[in-house]
Structure formats: structure tokens, C-alpha cells
Amino acid sequence: MTSTLEPTTTAALPPLKLGALAVDPAVVLAPMAGITNPAFRTLCREFGAGLYVCEMITTRALVERNEKTLQMVRATADEKDAFSVQLYGVDPATVGRAVAMLVDEGVAGTRPAHIDLNFGCPVPKVTRKGGGSALPWRRVLLRDIVRAAVRAARDVPVTIKTRIGIDADHVTYLDAGRIAQDEGAAAITLHGRTADQLYSGTADWSSIARLVEAVDIPVLGNGDIWEADDALRMVAETGCAGVVIGRGCLGRPWLFGDLAAAFAGTPRRALPTMAEVAAVMHRHATLLSEEQGELHGCTDFRKHVAWYLKGFSVGSDVRRALAMVSGLDELAELLARIPDQPYPAVVLGAPRGRTSPPRPVALPEGWLADRDDPRPPAGAELLVGGG
């Protein structure tokens, strides 16, 4: 791919140590539902090293051996030694059983090298039941879940991901960090937004810096990393030990190559032409087709088209056809109709993926009344079963 060279004096960032697992560069792909499947993880890994986490797995569905979930918990050929799983759970006993299954049985043929616990999801159907980013408010329950996971994981490092809190009046991240540290978690990731912000506004990186000062375990920063230089700036401003990349890589898997270069202290940054982007798009669809079959793979790929083409000059007829593509040859023919052109500089540093206005967080009735209530929220996993 074409690239641009600009002077830089940034020093290399050391590898991230999670127990016996070394993540070099200290870059982690955030789990994204419907996105971070084996095909996308493979594609991103082809551009740069790091830790690539699978889609979020529901502990209840895993324990019940839901077939869809068991399919999701499988490693690609090139991640056998660094397979990473994120779990969602609200009941300590269920979380402990799910972790034990992964570690002791090697579900789907692979023993994970890393397990992350999701306490950051802001989706209303999850918080309404007390899960995701609502759960850290119940600090005793949070402690019990982390403790159960760490004990069941034995030598496999366990990390947690969270947000600043429910809202500005119900901040939880410092307590969550201390609990994670005390219970033996290997690291904590902080998304610099509260749950009520969803994905609106600007991430507050200063909270990441405060968490770095408050705990001794590594802190990973997440939120508004659109370019590799954003990651460098986050590390410089917060002292975080690494970064977690979510929306910034949508339609831009080469971002992981940029991040590897940035954390190695080199200035290389990819600016692919339209023809080069088209090649990546076809590779992505091919990987999905190998995984799901051509029709399902190309159908799944449709959601990525707008992200890849963001800022490029593409005829409306081609865009409409790509949104309905159902085969690899058809995809290749449509992509060939797009004139080659330089990468659109206007989209550099611009937000990608979902956005939403802030809104009050849906919570179970009485959820805020007692922070030390250890009882799991009733029915919190029912809405997110099957993966």
C-alpha cells in the first residue's frame, strides 16, 4: 500500500504483559458483535500483530452449550497460541463454570490464551437488566464475578473492560479498577465515556490517566482512536500500557499496520488507493465466504461496504449494487467499475461506525439503592443468549 512519511520522535511502546502472554505491539481489537468474527480477525492480523478478541460470548449460552455460541468460540489457524475470548456474564457461578469450560476443556478445540470480562456494554436491553456497564455499580457483585473468573482461569490471564460509570453522578471505574487488581485481574480496559453517553461526544482520556495512577495493573485505553497518531497521543497523555481499537478499524483493517509502525517508533502510515482498498474488500469477502459459504459470506460483507468506501467517489448505482452483492465474482466486477483514486484525506481522523445521542441509562428498578447487594440481576442473560 502507498504510505506517507512524516517525521516522528515517538519512542517504541513496550509489549503488554498479560501473565505469560506478551502482546506486541500493545494493541487489542475490541470485540464487536457481528464484526470480529474469524474472517475479520484474520484480515486485521494480516496487517499487523496484536491481540484479536472474538465476538462477545454469553456465559449462560456457553454453559448450556448453545450451538451458535460453540461455533463462535473457535480460533483461526493463526491464533492457536493467542486466542482471546470476551465473556458477558452477571452471575458469578455461571461465569466461573464458563471460564472453567474454556480453560479445562478447550471448547471448540482451543484453550484460550486470554479471557476478558465485559462490564462496558451500554446497550439499553443489557443495562435494563443490570448487565454491561450497569453492573460495576454493584461492586460486591462485580468482585464476586471477577474472583470466580480468575480462580477458574488458573494460569490464563483475565482482564476486564468497563466504562467511566453509568453517568456523571454514578462513576464506577476507580472502584472497578481496584477490585480487578485485588482479585487478580491482569489488566483493565477503560472506555472514556459513561454509559449514558453511548458513543456520543468525545471520549474523556483524563479518566484513563486517573485510573493509571490509581492501580498497579496495566490500564488499556479505549475511545476515539481513529488514527495511529491518536493512539500515540493517548499513550503520551494518559500513560496507558496499550490501546483497544473498536470503531476506528471499521473499513480500515490496515489501521493495525499503522499502529504497529507507530508503537515501533516509525512514521509509516498507509494511504491505500481505491484499487488497493478494493483488493482488501475482496479479500475480506473471500474470508467470510470461506467461513460461511459464498452467499452468506457476501451478504454478511454488505455491512462493511459503506465503511470501506467512506470518502471515495463512487457512483450511486455501484453503491446500491454493492449493498445487495451476493457473490465474489459480482463483487469483483462492481469494484472494477470504481475509478482508482487517492485515499480521501478528508476522512482521516473522522469518527466511524455507530453514533448516537446521549440518553438516560435504562436500569432495573432499585438498582442504584444498594451498591453492596451481591445478588445477580434477574434474567440479565436471557436477552443476550446464543452468543
Side-chain angles (χ1 to χ4, degrees):
M1 287 189 173
T2 55
S3 60
T4 181
L5 295 178
E6 296 179 1
T8 181
T9 57
T10 305
L13 187 72
L16 172 68
K17 293 289 289 181
L18 300 176
L21 180 64
V23 183
D24 187 16
V27 175
V28 179
L29 169 66
M32 291 179 279
I35 303 294
T36 56
N37 49 34
F40 189 70
R41 300 198 307 269
T42 296
L43 184 67
C44 292
R45 188 176 289 102
E46 289 176 353
F47 284 98
L51 189 63
Y52 295 90
V53 188
C54 75
E55 297 175 79
M56 186 184 74
I57 303 298
T58 303
T59 53
R60 174 173 172 169
L62 183 60
V63 167
E64 294 180 353
R65 299 185 182 273
N66 175 278
E67 186 58 36
K68 176 185 174 184
T69 301
L70 293 177
Q71 286 296 315
M72 292 169 65
V73 188
R74 68 190 194 281
T76 63
D78 56 355
E79 62 186 4
K80 292 291 186 182
D81 296 326
F83 184 46
S84 177
V85 177
Q86 188 187 71
L87 297 177
Y88 167 91
V90 298
D91 177 71
T94 304
V95 171
R97 287 197 295 272
V99 171
M101 280 180 61
L102 292 171
V103 172
D104 297 340
E105 298 180 24
V107 178
T110 305
R111 188 176 191 261
H114 163 248
I115 293 172
D116 187 52
L117 302 177
N118 182 306
F119 300 114
C121 180
V123 175
K125 71 176 183 179
V126 172
T127 62
R128 186 177 291 115
K129 294 291 186 177
S133 53
L135 196 142
W137 181 256
R138 295 287 179 93
R139 55 195 171 196
V140 174
L141 178 59
L142 175 70
R143 180 203 66 192
D144 291 348
I145 292 173
V146 177
R147 178 178 295 173
V150 170
R151 287 180 176 175
R154 301 200 312 273
D155 61 321
V156 174
V158 173
T159 61
I160 79 169
K161 184 179 182 184
T162 190
R163 285 191 170 222
I164 293 173
I166 294 172
D167 53 36
D169 296 323
H170 302 90
V171 172
T172 57
Y173 74 99
L174 291 175
D175 281 345
R178 296 185 188 104
I179 288 168
Q181 176 173 286
D182 291 347
E183 297 304 325
I188 177 172
T189 296
L190 180 62
H191 183 134
R193 286 182 172 88
T194 51
D196 69 330
Q197 289 181 279
L198 294 172
Y199 296 94
S200 67
T202 303
D204 175 16
W205 291 359
S206 67
S207 62
I208 299 171
R210 284 192 289 273
L211 184 58
V212 169
E213 295 175 353
V215 298
D216 296 325
I217 59 175
V219 174
L220 305 180
N222 177 229
D224 294 358
I225 297 178
W226 311 114
E227 306 294 338
D229 291 333
D230 295 331
L232 293 177
R233 185 164 54 87
M234 176 185 279
V235 171
E237 291 181 10
T238 69
C240 64
V243 296
V244 175
I245 306 299
R247 294 176 297 155
C249 69
L250 296 176
R252 300 178 68 225
W254 54 86
L255 177 60
F256 290 99
D258 287 355
L259 289 161
F263 284 163
T266 64
R268 178 181 59 81
R269 306 289 184 267
L271 289 174
T273 65
M274 182 61 240
E276 291 170 324
V277 171
V280 176
M281 293 174 70
H282 197 273
R283 171 64 174 158
H284 190 171
T286 299
L287 288 167
L288 285 168
S289 297
E290 291 173 353
E291 176 186 327
Q292 304 176 22
E294 187 168 349
L295 176 58
H296 288 296
C298 288
T299 301
D300 192 12
F301 177 71
R302 294 172 186 171
K303 71 167 76 80
H304 298 270
V305 169
W307 295 324
Y308 276 113
L309 298 181
K310 187 178 178 68
F312 283 106
S313 178
V314 181
S316 58
D317 57 334
V318 175
R319 284 187 183 271
R320 282 194 299 268
L322 284 168
M324 297 184 292
V325 70
S326 57
L328 292 173
D329 289 344
E330 179 189 5
L331 175 62
E333 188 275 328
L334 289 168
L335 292 173
R337 290 167 57 184
I338 304 174
D340 198 15
Q341 54 198 281
Y343 194 82
V346 67
V347 305
L348 294 173
R352 308 179 75 83
R354 57 189 166 182
T355 58
S356 49
R359 60 184 171 190
V361 180
L363 296 169
E365 186 173 354
W367 186 252
L368 300 176
D370 184 2
R371 295 203 65 189
D372 295 323
D373 186 341
R375 294 173 297 174
E381 293 178 333
L382 297 180
L383 291 174
V384 288

